[in-house]
Amino acid sequence: MSADRLIIFDTTLRDGEQAPGFSMRVDEKLRMARQLAALGVDLIEAGFPIASEADAQSVRTIATHVHGPVIAALARCNRADIERAAWALEPAERRRIHVFIATSDLHLERKLRMSRAHCLKIAMEAVRFARTFTDDVQFSAEDATRSDPDFLWHVVEAVIQSGAKTINLPDTVGYSTPDEIQSFFSNLIRRVPSSDQVVWSAHCHDDLGLAVANTLAALTGGARQVECTVNGIGERAGNASLEEVVMATRIRHDRLPFTSGINTSEIFAASQLLTTLTGEAVQANKAIVGRNAFAHEAGIHQDGMLKDRRTYEIMRPEDVGVTRTTLVLGKHSGRHAVQKRCEELGIALERHELDGVYRAVIALADREKVVSDDDLIKIAAAARTAPEAPASVFPPVTDFAVTPAEKGYGHGV
Ligand code: MN
């Protein structure tokens, strides 16, 4: 695998599914897992088998029926968790056991009530035990970014010696900043003697809205596996969004020279399937997959889009599986967009008719926010039967003459 190849570890069905409102039944998780395989993720973390019977069954069902990605399951550092994960993963063509334990003093002292020495010991034992079921074992140091780097260094080297192939360093509570996590990864990778024997992985949360920025910074620091979720779902404010990380590395390859195996044209379908299965909508302005991600309402933007899409779009919507850009007819729209939509609907308008239709669209949009195609058809029909308005009553209307602030200047850049 080349040095710039990004490994996409999707945890939509584990961390994502753990979030309130996002739980899925076994059949729903299987449907989502099939879409993740079509999307081309490298790994699917299918669940946490010891957590519930349904979780164990979900992992086993996905391991049986989903081909392509490696199937992973989560386990704490104890025999029962690891045995349950191994059982659930048993039918998979390729399987990964993902063991974790917290390494920060806060978690060790307050949550686990465990000494550092004991933590180190059971981390090593867990990795060795997991290796008896599969060669592909991942170790995660929960709350890594708030752990003492000296202790973390020892734990990481010890679990590599015990057989871990992937080292994941989660920013469990979304506390890090991009520059901090970049040096965190680069320093640790430099310090750990066996660092070149493993893949380093980032798992960032969005509590400060920095999950994607931190993930990209971790890549610059030396990480090559990214843990992420469709639509950025996950505990609390969520995980790093798969679609944002993937498209950032694709669109800004000049700054982020990493290549994933993701089939980006399946991104929108994956996003839509997840909202359908969970009943939780994506926010309208969500990057890449939100309803407004490729929508243009402001007059200047619509005019620019109709002349050359590159004026206001840095990526083509079809590249992420969105069928077309939406020029929304609203109160900020210009005559060019109104005319274009009419043409798309097969309505040919004389110039004087367009003036009347345009004014009616703006008037309706002031009351209704957006003007639907049905509304437009009715407006156009009325305009075509109305007598031509005397020029002295309605002065000529241009895109920017009526209310300049609403025609794009107030909405630019
Ligand atoms: Mn997490």
Side-chain angles (χ1 to χ4, degrees):
M1 201 171 273
S2 67
D4 67 350
R5 175 61 159 81
L6 204 55
I7 299 169
I8 301 292
F9 179 109
D10 182 277
T11 186
T12 305
L13 298 177
R14 202 279 298 166
D15 207 323
E17 205 249 357
Q18 272 172 231
F22 287 93
S23 63
M24 287 172 255
R25 297 189 312 262
V26 174
D27 60 308
E28 293 169 331
K29 288 182 90 173
L30 178 60
R31 258 185 89 186
M32 192 66 211
R34 287 195 160 121
Q35 178 59 34
L36 292 170
L39 185 59
V41 304
D42 297 288
L43 296 105
I44 294 173
E45 186 165 53
F48 189 4
I50 200 77
S52 73
E53 183 58 29
D55 239 29
Q57 288 299 340
S58 295
V59 174
R60 196 163 169 101
T61 302
I62 290 166
T64 306
H65 297 290
V66 177
H67 307 289
V70 175
I71 310 300
L74 189 65
R76 290 168 297 185
C77 287
N78 66 63
R79 293 182 77 89
D81 276 41
I82 293 165
E83 281 169 352
R84 194 73 176 137
W87 172 83
L89 290 170
E90 191 268 324
E93 286 164 358
R94 292 183 296 157
R95 62 191 75 87
R96 172 177 297 183
I97 296 179
H98 176 194
V99 295
F100 76 101
I101 190 165
T103 50
S104 69
D105 288 333
L106 178 63
H107 278 236
L108 285 173
E109 289 167 15
R110 310 301 298 182
K111 185 183 79 173
L112 299 175
R113 306 198 185 279
M114 186 185 286
S115 68
R116 285 183 173 188
H118 190 63
C119 168
L120 179 63
K121 176 172 171 283
I122 67 171
M124 294 169 68
E125 286 172 359
V127 169
R128 275 196 218 107
F129 186 55
R131 278 294 303 266
T132 65
F133 299 100
T134 174
D135 289 343
D136 189 348
V137 173
Q138 170 170 328
F139 175 81
S140 283
E142 188 186 7
D143 208 21
T145 52
R146 293 195 300 173
S147 301
D148 172 16
D150 290 324
F151 176 58
L152 189 56
W153 179 110
H154 284 289
V155 173
V156 167
E157 178 63 21
V159 296
I160 296 173
Q161 296 295 334
S162 303
K165 299 292 188 206
T166 301
I167 301 295
N168 183 44
L169 301 176
D171 187 30
T172 302
V173 290
Y175 183 71
S176 194
T177 66
D179 62 323
E180 183 183 41
I181 203 163
Q182 180 180 333
S183 51
F184 172 74
F185 269 88
S186 59
N187 289 339
L188 206 65
I189 291 169
R190 197 179 312 120
R191 256 179 109 175
V192 169
S194 307
S195 64
D196 59 347
Q197 294 173 29
V198 291
V199 172
W200 295 80
S201 169
H203 175 113
C204 299
H205 275 274
D206 211 30
D207 297 73
L208 294 173
L210 293 171
V212 170
N214 283 339
T215 299
L216 298 173
L219 291 177
T220 304
R224 286 296 176 271
Q225 174 177 288
V226 169
E227 301 202 358
C228 51
T229 61
V230 173
N231 297 344
I233 71 169
E235 290 274 11
R236 305 180 312 281
N239 287 68
S241 143
L242 180 150
E243 57 276 10
E244 293 175 25
V245 170
V246 167
M247 292 313 290
T249 57
R250 188 159 156 149
I251 301 299
R252 294 310 309 274
H253 201 75
D254 56 327
R255 308 288 303 180
L256 301 158
F258 309 105
T259 306
S260 77
I262 294 294
N263 175 11
T264 62
S265 65
E266 291 291 335
I267 283 176
F268 191 62
S271 168
Q272 291 289 103
L273 178 61
L274 184 61
T275 62
T276 305
L277 294 176
T278 61
E280 291 281 345
V282 173
Q283 71 189 57
N285 60 318
K286 166 79 173 63
I288 317 293
V289 293
R291 173 162 43 85
N292 286 354
F294 296 98
H296 305 273
E297 185 185 317
I300 282 184
H301 292 208
Q302 292 187 334
D303 186 52
M305 282 292 297
L306 293 168
K307 287 170 176 158
D308 187 330
R309 288 163 58 156
R310 292 171 301 176
T311 53
Y312 289 102
E313 281 185 355
I314 59 167
M315 64 193 120
R316 299 183 309 170
E318 53 267 38
D319 289 345
V320 296
V322 174
T323 45
R324 69 188 171 98
T325 298
T326 313
L327 292 186
V328 177
L329 293 184
K331 67 178 181 178
H332 310 116
S333 298
R335 280 159 44 105
H336 192 175
V338 172
Q339 182 179 22
K340 175 86 176 173
R341 180 58 62 84
C342 284
E343 283 169 9
E344 285 169 358
L345 294 170
I347 303 166
L349 294 174
E350 300 292 328
R351 181 161 182 86
H352 73 276
E353 292 171 339
L354 177 61
D355 289 342
V357 169
Y358 172 68
R359 281 191 296 270
V361 164
I362 298 300
L364 181 60
D366 264 336
R367 302 194 301 272
E368 303 285 336
K369 285 192 181 174
V370 294
V371 176
S372 69
D373 288 348
D374 281 351
D375 294 331
L376 187 57
I377 289 165
K378 282 180 200 145
I379 288 169
R384 283 198 288 190
T385 55
E388 188 172 345
S392 59
V393 177
F394 295 109
V397 177
T398 68
D399 275 355
F400 310 126
V402 184
T403 48
E406 292 184 347
K407 289 296 165 281
Y409 295 112
H411 295 261
V413 292

Short mmCIF file of all heavy atoms in Angstrom, two decimals, residues 168-201:
data_model
loop_
_atom_site.label_atom_id
_atom_site.label_comp_id
_atom_site.label_asym_id
_atom_site.label_seq_id
_atom_site.Cartn_x
_atom_site.Cartn_y
_atom_site.Cartn_z
N ASN A 168 -4.74 3.26 17.37
CA ASN A 168 -5.69 4.36 17.24
C ASN A 168 -5.57 5.27 18.47
O ASN A 168 -5.54 4.78 19.60
CB ASN A 168 -7.11 3.78 17.13
CG ASN A 168 -8.15 4.85 16.91
OD1 ASN A 168 -7.95 5.76 16.10
ND2 ASN A 168 -9.25 4.75 17.63
N LEU A 169 -5.47 6.57 18.21
CA LEU A 169 -5.30 7.54 19.31
C LEU A 169 -6.49 8.49 19.28
O LEU A 169 -6.45 9.55 18.65
CB LEU A 169 -3.99 8.30 19.13
CG LEU A 169 -2.73 7.42 19.10
CD1 LEU A 169 -1.50 8.27 18.82
CD2 LEU A 169 -2.57 6.66 20.42
N PRO A 170 -7.56 8.14 19.98
CA PRO A 170 -8.78 8.93 19.89
C PRO A 170 -8.69 10.25 20.65
O PRO A 170 -8.11 10.33 21.73
CB PRO A 170 -9.84 8.03 20.55
CG PRO A 170 -9.23 6.68 20.65
CD PRO A 170 -7.76 6.91 20.76
N ASP A 171 -9.29 11.26 20.04
CA ASP A 171 -9.58 12.50 20.75
C ASP A 171 -11.03 12.33 21.24
O ASP A 171 -11.96 12.93 20.71
CB ASP A 171 -9.44 13.70 19.81
CG ASP A 171 -9.58 15.03 20.53
OD1 ASP A 171 -9.22 15.10 21.72
OD2 ASP A 171 -10.06 15.99 19.90
N THR A 172 -11.15 11.48 22.26
CA THR A 172 -12.45 10.94 22.68
C THR A 172 -13.49 12.02 22.99
O THR A 172 -14.67 11.85 22.73
CB THR A 172 -12.23 10.03 23.91
OG1 THR A 172 -11.32 9.01 23.54
CG2 THR A 172 -13.52 9.41 24.40
N VAL A 173 -13.03 13.13 23.57
CA VAL A 173 -14.00 14.15 23.98
C VAL A 173 -13.91 15.42 23.12
O VAL A 173 -14.44 16.46 23.48
CB VAL A 173 -13.85 14.51 25.47
CG1 VAL A 173 -14.31 13.33 26.32
CG2 VAL A 173 -12.41 14.89 25.83
N GLY A 174 -13.23 15.32 21.97
CA GLY A 174 -13.19 16.46 21.05
C GLY A 174 -12.52 17.68 21.64
O GLY A 174 -12.98 18.81 21.46
N TYR A 175 -11.41 17.47 22.33
CA TYR A 175 -10.75 18.53 23.11
C TYR A 175 -9.57 19.14 22.36
O TYR A 175 -9.17 20.28 22.61
CB TYR A 175 -10.26 17.91 24.42
CG TYR A 175 -9.62 18.86 25.39
CD1 TYR A 175 -10.38 19.81 26.07
CD2 TYR A 175 -8.25 18.80 25.65
CE1 TYR A 175 -9.79 20.68 26.97
CE2 TYR A 175 -7.65 19.67 26.55
CZ TYR A 175 -8.43 20.60 27.21
OH TYR A 175 -7.85 21.47 28.10
N SER A 176 -9.01 18.42 21.42
CA SER A 176 -7.77 18.85 20.78
C SER A 176 -8.00 20.01 19.79
O SER A 176 -9.13 20.31 19.41
CB SER A 176 -7.14 17.67 20.04
OG SER A 176 -5.80 17.96 19.69
N THR A 177 -6.89 20.62 19.40
CA THR A 177 -6.92 21.61 18.30
C THR A 177 -6.05 21.05 17.18
O THR A 177 -5.21 20.17 17.42
CB THR A 177 -6.37 22.98 18.75
OG1 THR A 177 -4.98 22.83 19.05
CG2 THR A 177 -7.13 23.51 19.96
N PRO A 178 -6.21 21.56 15.94
CA PRO A 178 -5.47 20.96 14.83
C PRO A 178 -3.96 20.96 15.00
O PRO A 178 -3.31 19.93 14.78
CB PRO A 178 -5.93 21.81 13.63
CG PRO A 178 -7.33 22.22 13.99
CD PRO A 178 -7.26 22.49 15.48
N ASP A 179 -3.37 22.08 15.39
CA ASP A 179 -1.91 22.10 15.51
C ASP A 179 -1.43 21.17 16.62
O ASP A 179 -0.39 20.52 16.52
CB ASP A 179 -1.39 23.53 15.73
CG ASP A 179 -1.91 24.16 17.01
OD1 ASP A 179 -3.08 23.89 17.36
OD2 ASP A 179 -1.16 24.91 17.67
N GLU A 180 -2.23 21.09 17.69
CA GLU A 180 -1.88 20.23 18.81
C GLU A 180 -1.89 18.75 18.42
O GLU A 180 -0.96 18.00 18.73
CB GLU A 180 -2.87 20.48 19.95
CG GLU A 180 -2.59 19.70 21.22
CD GLU A 180 -3.66 19.97 22.28
OE1 GLU A 180 -4.86 20.02 21.95
OE2 GLU A 180 -3.28 20.11 23.45
N ILE A 181 -2.94 18.34 17.70
CA ILE A 181 -3.04 16.91 17.38
C ILE A 181 -2.01 16.52 16.32
O ILE A 181 -1.51 15.39 16.30
CB ILE A 181 -4.48 16.52 16.96
CG1 ILE A 181 -4.71 15.02 17.18
CG2 ILE A 181 -4.81 16.93 15.54
CD1 ILE A 181 -6.16 14.60 17.19
N GLN A 182 -1.66 17.46 15.45
CA GLN A 182 -0.61 17.16 14.46
C GLN A 182 0.71 16.86 15.16
O GLN A 182 1.36 15.84 14.87
CB GLN A 182 -0.44 18.34 13.49
CG GLN A 182 0.64 18.06 12.45
CD GLN A 182 0.84 19.21 11.47
OE1 GLN A 182 -0.08 19.99 11.23
NE2 GLN A 182 2.03 19.31 10.92
N SER A 183 1.11 17.70 16.13
CA SER A 183 2.39 17.43 16.82
C SER A 183 2.26 16.24 17.76
O SER A 183 3.23 15.49 17.96
CB SER A 183 2.91 18.67 17.55
OG SER A 183 1.92 19.23 18.35
N PHE A 184 1.07 16.02 18.31
CA PHE A 184 0.83 14.85 19.15
C PHE A 184 1.16 13.57 18.37
O PHE A 184 1.90 12.70 18.85
CB PHE A 184 -0.64 14.86 19.60
CG PHE A 184 -1.12 13.63 20.31
CD1 PHE A 184 -0.75 13.37 21.62
CD2 PHE A 184 -1.98 12.74 19.66
CE1 PHE A 184 -1.21 12.24 22.27
CE2 PHE A 184 -2.44 11.62 20.32
CZ PHE A 184 -2.06 11.36 21.62
N PHE A 185 0.63 13.46 17.14
CA PHE A 185 0.91 12.28 16.32
C PHE A 185 2.38 12.22 15.90
O PHE A 185 3.03 11.19 16.04
CB PHE A 185 0.00 12.25 15.08
CG PHE A 185 -1.29 11.50 15.32
CD1 PHE A 185 -2.40 12.14 15.82
CD2 PHE A 185 -1.39 10.14 15.04
CE1 PHE A 185 -3.59 11.45 16.06
CE2 PHE A 185 -2.56 9.44 15.27
CZ PHE A 185 -3.67 10.10 15.78
N SER A 186 2.90 13.35 15.40
CA SER A 186 4.27 13.28 14.87
C SER A 186 5.28 12.99 15.99
O SER A 186 6.22 12.21 15.81
CB SER A 186 4.63 14.55 14.09
OG SER A 186 4.52 15.67 14.91
N ASN A 187 5.06 13.57 17.19
CA ASN A 187 5.98 13.31 18.31
C ASN A 187 5.94 11.85 18.76
O ASN A 187 6.97 11.23 19.00
CB ASN A 187 5.65 14.23 19.50
CG ASN A 187 6.02 15.67 19.23
OD1 ASN A 187 6.85 15.95 18.36
ND2 ASN A 187 5.40 16.59 19.94
N LEU A 188 4.71 11.32 18.87
CA LEU A 188 4.59 9.95 19.36
C LEU A 188 5.17 8.97 18.34
O LEU A 188 5.87 8.01 18.71
CB LEU A 188 3.11 9.64 19.63
CG LEU A 188 2.87 8.56 20.68
CD1 LEU A 188 3.35 9.01 22.05
CD2 LEU A 188 1.40 8.20 20.74
N ILE A 189 4.88 9.22 17.06
CA ILE A 189 5.40 8.33 16.02
C ILE A 189 6.93 8.36 16.01
O ILE A 189 7.58 7.33 15.83
CB ILE A 189 4.80 8.72 14.64
CG1 ILE A 189 3.31 8.38 14.61
CG2 ILE A 189 5.54 8.03 13.50
CD1 ILE A 189 2.55 8.94 13.43
N ARG A 190 7.50 9.53 16.27
CA ARG A 190 8.96 9.64 16.32
C ARG A 190 9.53 8.90 17.53
O ARG A 190 10.60 8.31 17.47
CB ARG A 190 9.35 11.13 16.37
CG ARG A 190 10.81 11.38 16.00
CD ARG A 190 11.17 12.87 16.03
NE ARG A 190 10.22 13.70 15.33
CZ ARG A 190 9.52 14.70 15.91
NH1 ARG A 190 9.66 14.96 17.19
NH2 ARG A 190 8.68 15.41 15.20
N ARG A 191 8.80 8.92 18.64
CA ARG A 191 9.32 8.38 19.89
C ARG A 191 9.19 6.88 20.04
O ARG A 191 10.02 6.24 20.70
CB ARG A 191 8.55 9.02 21.06
CG ARG A 191 9.34 10.08 21.78
CD ARG A 191 8.50 10.66 22.86
NE ARG A 191 8.96 10.24 24.18
CZ ARG A 191 8.44 10.69 25.32
NH1 ARG A 191 7.43 11.54 25.28
NH2 ARG A 191 8.91 10.29 26.45
N VAL A 192 8.10 6.32 19.50
CA VAL A 192 7.85 4.89 19.71
C VAL A 192 8.78 4.08 18.82
O VAL A 192 8.77 4.23 17.60
CB VAL A 192 6.37 4.57 19.39
CG1 VAL A 192 6.13 3.06 19.35
CG2 VAL A 192 5.45 5.22 20.43
N PRO A 193 9.62 3.21 19.40
CA PRO A 193 10.64 2.51 18.61
C PRO A 193 10.06 1.67 17.47
O PRO A 193 10.64 1.62 16.39
CB PRO A 193 11.35 1.62 19.65
CG PRO A 193 11.10 2.28 20.96
CD PRO A 193 9.76 2.95 20.85
N SER A 194 8.92 1.02 17.71
CA SER A 194 8.35 0.12 16.69
C SER A 194 7.28 0.81 15.84
O SER A 194 6.42 0.13 15.26
CB SER A 194 7.74 -1.11 17.37
OG SER A 194 8.69 -1.72 18.22
N SER A 195 7.32 2.13 15.77
CA SER A 195 6.21 2.86 15.12
C SER A 195 6.03 2.48 13.65
O SER A 195 4.93 2.51 13.13
CB SER A 195 6.43 4.37 15.25
OG SER A 195 7.58 4.75 14.56
N ASP A 196 7.13 2.07 12.97
CA ASP A 196 7.00 1.76 11.54
C ASP A 196 6.36 0.40 11.29
O ASP A 196 6.12 0.02 10.16
CB ASP A 196 8.36 1.85 10.85
CG ASP A 196 9.39 0.90 11.45
OD1 ASP A 196 9.12 0.36 12.56
OD2 ASP A 196 10.44 0.69 10.83
N GLN A 197 6.06 -0.35 12.35
CA GLN A 197 5.42 -1.66 12.18
C GLN A 197 3.91 -1.60 12.22
O GLN A 197 3.23 -2.62 12.08
CB GLN A 197 5.90 -2.62 13.28
CG GLN A 197 7.38 -2.93 13.19
CD GLN A 197 7.86 -3.72 14.39
OE1 GLN A 197 7.10 -4.48 15.00
NE2 GLN A 197 9.11 -3.54 14.75
N VAL A 198 3.35 -0.41 12.46
CA VAL A 198 1.90 -0.29 12.61
C VAL A 198 1.35 0.86 11.76
O VAL A 198 2.08 1.73 11.31
CB VAL A 198 1.49 -0.02 14.10
CG1 VAL A 198 1.76 -1.24 14.95
CG2 VAL A 198 2.21 1.21 14.64
N VAL A 199 0.03 0.81 11.59
CA VAL A 199 -0.69 1.94 10.99
C VAL A 199 -1.23 2.78 12.13
O VAL A 199 -1.80 2.24 13.09
CB VAL A 199 -1.86 1.43 10.10
CG1 VAL A 199 -2.73 2.60 9.64
CG2 VAL A 199 -1.33 0.64 8.92
N TRP A 200 -1.05 4.10 12.02
CA TRP A 200 -1.54 5.01 13.05
C TRP A 200 -2.89 5.56 12.63
O TRP A 200 -3.10 5.87 11.45
CB TRP A 200 -0.53 6.13 13.29
CG TRP A 200 0.75 5.61 13.85
CD1 TRP A 200 1.76 5.00 13.16
CD2 TRP A 200 1.12 5.58 15.24
NE1 TRP A 200 2.76 4.61 14.03
CE2 TRP A 200 2.39 4.96 15.30
CE3 TRP A 200 0.52 6.02 16.42
CZ2 TRP A 200 3.06 4.76 16.51
CZ3 TRP A 200 1.19 5.83 17.61
CH2 TRP A 200 2.44 5.21 17.66
N SER A 201 -3.78 5.69 13.60
CA SER A 201 -5.16 6.01 13.28
C SER A 201 -5.69 7.16 14.15
O SER A 201 -5.35 7.26 15.33
CB SER A 201 -6.01 4.75 13.54
OG SER A 201 -7.39 5.05 13.51
#
